[in-house]
Amino acid sequence: ALEDFDDAVRTDIAIALRKYPDAGAVDNLVTILTNGSGPETKQAAIDTLNHYAENSLVNGLAARLIELLVDPKVINHEDRLRIVQLLKKPALIKQVKEADQYDNLPHKIYLFYEEKETNDMVRDELNQLLLVLEE
């Protein structure tokens, strides 16, 4: 249902997945962040993904979100902004800090900030994220 053509259906399913978690839905929830879904649907997906991270229902979500963030195919700055705002949630900050040191997630964020991101709003959010990760 997360792939339904109707945005309202995707929104309702994303909300329902908070009450009835399904780790198998994570791929589709992540996809919603950068597809043609409307803002309400994207926010519902963000809230559900954050819920999953807070309740340890999905491991490695932060790494997946960082890979999505740095993907050059994600051209909409509003989508990148939403991804960074999700990465700033405490449960995902914890995942970044606890990730395998060889994944070097903070460095990937830093390189993206320094070399790729051009939108000022996204850069501001990335800067805030990097400051939190330094603590």
Side-chain angles (χ1 to χ4, degrees), residues 5-123:
F5 70 92
D6 187 340
D7 216 32
V9 171
R10 291 192 304 269
T11 302
D12 290 344
I13 295 301
I15 291 168
L17 284 166
R18 276 179 244 150
K19 188 172 182 178
Y20 304 102
D22 178 4
V26 171
D27 289 339
N28 287 328
L29 288 166
V30 169
T31 298
I32 285 174
L33 300 179
T34 58
N35 71 9
S37 295
E40 288 181 19
T41 304
K42 290 181 182 198
Q43 188 59 52
I46 286 169
D47 293 343
T48 300
L49 288 167
N50 184 50
H51 174 76
Y52 283 22
E54 287 175 341
N55 293 287
S56 302
L57 299 173
V58 59
N59 293 325
L61 179 59
R64 290 178 62 188
L65 291 171
I66 291 167
E67 289 302 316
L68 183 62
L69 176 68
V70 303
D71 186 338
K73 291 182 236 167
V74 180
I75 57 173
N76 185 332
H77 75 276
E78 291 174 350
D79 291 345
R80 293 192 308 276
L81 184 63
R82 285 184 185 95
I83 294 167
V84 175
Q85 289 171 338
L86 178 55
L87 284 166
K88 287 174 54 182
K89 302 289 187 185
L92 290 157
I93 293 283
K94 183 179 177 190
Q95 282 189 16
V96 171
K97 288 182 175 182
E98 292 177 352
D100 190 308
Q101 67 178 350
Y102 295 108
D103 290 339
N104 210 355
L105 299 180
H107 185 66
K108 287 180 182 179
I109 297 168
Y110 176 75
L111 284 178
F112 179 73
Y113 170 77
E114 282 293 315
E115 300 173 3
K116 305 282 186 201
E117 186 55 62
T118 57
N119 182 276
D120 288 339
M121 287 190 312
V122 179
R123 286 183 57 80

